[in-house]
């Protein structure tokens, strides 16, 4: 049976801990914990916080007998009890876990091995750990990393115990190395310190989601990503709240299973990037009468990427008839460098969408409200993502570092007790993100009514003839064209030595030559109307997009792919179409 939603004797303590072990020591006195569901919606494993603590401490003694205190273990973060036990065992053993992704491509073995090899090497890991089914991948990835051995979860359980009881991490010691998704650069190892991680857990649970007795969380988010690991492994545990997990790959295959688990277990809290809500909405016609009831869901968080109002509207319209309250939507802002969360809106308040005149925006850098005479193609809705969490602060700065007023778009800086100390073994990159106590997020945005609004990544910005053009404006406009696959558009710029020009890669459905030529002309017109600039249009086969491990479009890698000639007619004709991202795309 899944764990209960409420502890019968243990009083709820929402955060306030100084280490992860201290938080688990408290949660283990109750009956709540983690539950794991399969593709049929069956609970295949139950791990109470009490059992987790016992198993983690047992494994910690074995790890301490094999590895020196402070060593790093690169661990594949599958959605399983084995990963979670290993993560917490590292905490009790004084070892630093560095979660790595599961494979997300079919036919993308080489790319995956390169990715995890970079992580193993970057963490200077003493071992690469994962399920036995991925040993071959780990062996190949670790073979070029000096000193890194490969162990399965089963191998760990068979290690000898240390002679002495290991010492858990203290408040000022490390907690983990969290690899960024690398949407605009190579992944970097974000350092999580116990005290800063616990500060964010408290802020999220106490001041963001207001966790209360009877709450229950549900998540399909990957556990190597900050939203999955911090948001749904650590935060609920720090509030003694039960969690129901569905593997990401199973969510992709059956998105409505996420909602069925929420229904059957009366879950009150969940989170997803916009595309997760969009995917569920697209499958809503398959709902059987009485199968879904979302009336208990009070926090439907959105994060991990730009919040798309259209996706939220689609989900609300599809599921309001089965009890969903659109005021449960909770658009928030965060990043791994801040542990997870930076801002939260008022819970239960309607989502606020700021309709902006993009012509004025690109000319002046000011998010001027759209008017009645603003044409639809020049309007764009930006979602307000709340105010800074207590003890934290957000500042929007111009190119000279001066703070800017409301509606002026600039670079976002943050400060507070949740910030990382930097990137592991990368002093140069660490120094580059800090300006005193402030951290440069690399994001662009503006303030409105005291809330932060995110407009995009600074590195993705396209500048044509002095005008700022956001690639999302192009991508979202092109996705609406019949014949273009939703979520299958990438826009970026190329400097050809004389000037900068726009390139748009659009995944197209199977069409004949005449239809493709007509589609290319239509996309070209749409881009011109949307941003007032011409673009080179490339129609690509399905599954041509390059995504990060967290499901974000990597425009930098799409640019590299384009420059390497991957989208020439010959290359397109021979492209391997069996590759399919195991992210939430259709």
């Amino acid at each position: 049976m899944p764990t209960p939603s409420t502890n019968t004797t243990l009083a709820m303590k929402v955060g306030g801990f100084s280490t992860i072990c201290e938080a688990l020591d408290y949660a283990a006195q109750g009956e709540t914990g983690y539950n794991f569901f399969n593709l049929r919606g069956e609970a295949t494993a139950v791990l109470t916080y009490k059992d987790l603590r016992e198993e983690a401490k047992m494994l910690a003694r074995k790890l301490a007998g094999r590895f020196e205190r402070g060593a790093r273990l690169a661990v594949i973060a599958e959605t399983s009890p084995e990963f979670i036990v290993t993560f917490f065992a590292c905490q009790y053993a004084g070892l630093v876990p560095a979660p790595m992704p599961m494979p997300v491509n079919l036919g993308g073995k080489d790319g995956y091995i390169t990715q995890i090899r970079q992580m193993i090497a970057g963490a200077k890991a003493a071992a690469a750990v994962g399920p036995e089914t991925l040993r071959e991948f780990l062996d190949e990835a670790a073979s070029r990393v000096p000193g890194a051995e490969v162990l399965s979860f089963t191998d760990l359980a068979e290690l000898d115990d240390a002679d002495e009881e290991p010492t858990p991490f203290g408040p000022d010691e490390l907690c983990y190395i969290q690899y960024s998704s690398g949407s605009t650069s190579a992944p970097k190892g974000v350092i999580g310190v116990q005290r800063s991680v616990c500060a964010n857990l408290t802020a999220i649970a106490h001041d963001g989601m207001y966790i209360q007795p009877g709450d229950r969380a549900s998540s399909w988010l990957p556990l190597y990503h900050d939203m999955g690991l911090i948001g749904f492994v650590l935060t609920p545990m720090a509030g003694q709240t039960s969690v129901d997990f569905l593997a990401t790959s199973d969510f992709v295959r059956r998105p409505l299973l996420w909602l069925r688990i929420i229904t059957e277990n009366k879950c009150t809290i969940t989170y997803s990037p916009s595309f997760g809500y969009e995917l569920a909405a697209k499958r809503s016609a398959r709902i059987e009468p009485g199968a879904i009831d979302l009336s208990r869901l009070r926090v439907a968080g959105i994060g991990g990427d730009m919040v798309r109002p259209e996706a939220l509207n689609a989900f609300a319209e599809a599921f309001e008839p089965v009890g969903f309250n659109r005021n449960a939507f909770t658009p928030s802002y965060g990043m791994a460098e801040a542990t997870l969360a930076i801002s939260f809106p008022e819970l239960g308040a309607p989502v606020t969408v700021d309709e902006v005149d993009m012509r004025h925006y690109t000319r002046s850098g000011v998010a001027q409200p759209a008017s009645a005479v603003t044409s639809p193609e020049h309007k764009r809705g930006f979602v307000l993502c709340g105010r800074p969490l207590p003890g934290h602060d957000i500042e929007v700065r111009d190119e000279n570092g001066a703070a800017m007023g409301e509606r002026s778009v600039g670079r976002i800086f943050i400060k507070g007790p949740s910030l990382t100390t930097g990137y592991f073994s990368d002093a140069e990159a660490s120094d580059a993100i800090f300006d005193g106590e402030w951290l440069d997020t690399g994001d662009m945005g503006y303030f409105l009514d005291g809330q932060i609004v995110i407009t995009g990544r600074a590195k993705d910005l396209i500048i044509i003839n002095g005008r700022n053009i956001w690639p999302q404006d192009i991508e979202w406009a092109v996705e609406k064209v019949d014949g273009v696959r939703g979520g299958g558009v990438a826009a970026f710029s190329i400097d050809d030595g004389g000037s900068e020009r726009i390139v748009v890669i659009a995944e197209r459905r199977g069409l004949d030559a005449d239809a493709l030529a007509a589609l290319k002309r239509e996309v070209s017109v749409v881009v011109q109307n949307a941003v007032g600039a011409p673009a080179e249009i490339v129609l690509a086969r399905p599954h041509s997009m390059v995504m990060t491990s967290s499901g974000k479009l990597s425009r930098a890698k799409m640019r590299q792919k384009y420059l390497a000639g991957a989208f020439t007619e010959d290359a397109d004709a021979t492209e391997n179409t069996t590759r399919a991202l195991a992210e939430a795309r259709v």
Side-chain angles (χ1 to χ4, degrees), residues 481-486 506-520 539-544 572 577 586:
V481 176
D482 287 340
V484 174
R485 299 180 76 244
E507 293 181 351
R508 42 77 174 176
R509 300 188 178 94
L511 300 169
D512 60 33
D514 290 341
L516 288 175
L519 177 60
K520 181 177 287 191
L539 299 181
R541 291 179 181 272
H543 310 300
S544 294
D572 187 53
T577 58
V586 294

Side-chain angles (χ1 to χ4, degrees), residues 209-523:
M209 296 191 294
Y210 297 100
I211 287 181
Q212 53 198 259
D215 269 335
R216 188 181 191 94
S218 176
S219 176
W220 56 265
L221 300 169
L223 301 189
Y224 55 82
H225 189 256
D226 50 1
M227 279 177 61
L229 179 63
I230 310 302
F232 284 89
V233 174
L234 299 184
T235 298
M237 181 276 300
Q240 308 87 56
T241 300
S242 284
V243 188
D244 298 323
F245 289 114
L246 178 68
T248 305
S249 57
D250 290 341
F251 164 77
V252 173
R253 294 171 66 183
R254 295 187 61 192
L256 295 181
L257 183 55
W258 169 42
L259 305 185
R260 204 183 94 197
I261 291 171
I262 290 173
T263 298
E264 294 178 355
N265 295 331
K266 297 180 172 61
C267 296
T268 58
I269 298 170
T270 195
Y271 248 83
S272 171
S274 296
F275 67 74
Y277 292 105
E278 189 172 30
L279 186 58
K282 288 180 178 178
R283 305 291 175 85
S284 61
R286 304 181 185 181
I287 298 176
E288 298 176 2
I292 302 295
D293 178 1
L294 303 182
S295 59
R296 295 288 297 272
L297 194 62
R298 68 177 187 84
V299 177
I302 314 103
D305 207 348
M306 293 282 291
V307 180
R308 299 186 61 168
E310 301 86 354
L312 306 191
N313 288 334
F315 185 89
E317 290 172 4
F319 296 104
E320 278 177 328
V322 292
F324 179 72
N325 180 354
R326 67 172 63 223
N327 288 353
F329 280 134
T330 308
S332 50
Y333 172 52
M335 61 191 309
E337 286 83 350
T339 302
L340 174 59
I342 300 168
S343 70
F344 262 83
E346 178 185 353
L347 288 189
V351 171
T352 302
V353 180
D354 185 32
E355 293 283 348
V356 171
D357 184 332
M358 294 306 294
R359 291 175 303 178
H360 191 280
Y361 177 100
T362 56
R363 288 195 303 265
S364 67
V366 175
Q368 178 174 299
S371 68
V373 299
T374 305
S375 59
E377 63 265 27
H378 294 133
K379 288 182 182 179
R380 180 166 167 201
F382 291 105
V383 174
L384 278 63
C385 292
R387 293 173 172 80
L389 288 164
H392 298 73
D393 202 2
I394 302 175
E395 199 171 78
V396 176
R397 299 181 180 180
D398 65 18
E399 58 187 12
N400 297 315
M404 306 177 74
E406 284 208 340
R407 290 198 171 276
S408 292
V409 179
R411 201 171 181 108
I412 298 172
F413 284 73
I414 59 175
K415 69 175 181 178
S418 302
L419 297 193
T420 180
T421 56
Y423 300 113
F424 182 77
S425 194
D426 194 340
E428 183 178 352
S430 300
D431 291 342
I433 60 171
F434 281 102
D435 180 14
E437 60 184 338
W438 291 88
L439 184 145
D440 180 355
T441 66
D443 291 323
M444 302 291 286
Y446 61 95
F447 275 113
L448 180 60
D449 298 330
Q451 297 195 58
I452 191 65
V453 184
I454 314 303
T455 61
R457 291 289 292 170
K459 288 184 179 179
D460 285 335
L461 187 64
I462 298 170
I463 302 175
I464 301 292
N465 298 326
R467 293 175 53 237
N468 293 339
I469 297 173
W470 290 104
Q472 294 93 340
D473 293 336
I474 298 172
E475 292 158 0
W476 295 355
V478 172
E479 283 180 16
K480 297 175 183 177
V481 176
D482 287 340
V484 174
R485 299 180 76 244
V489 183
F492 49 86
S493 62
I494 297 294
D495 187 343
D496 59 13
S499 62
E500 199 168 356
R501 59 186 175 89
I502 300 172
V503 177
V504 178
I505 310 293
E507 293 181 351
R508 42 77 174 176
R509 300 188 178 94
L511 300 169
D512 60 33
D514 290 341
L516 288 175
L519 177 60
K520 181 177 287 191
R521 288 194 297 270
E522 184 178 358
V523 170

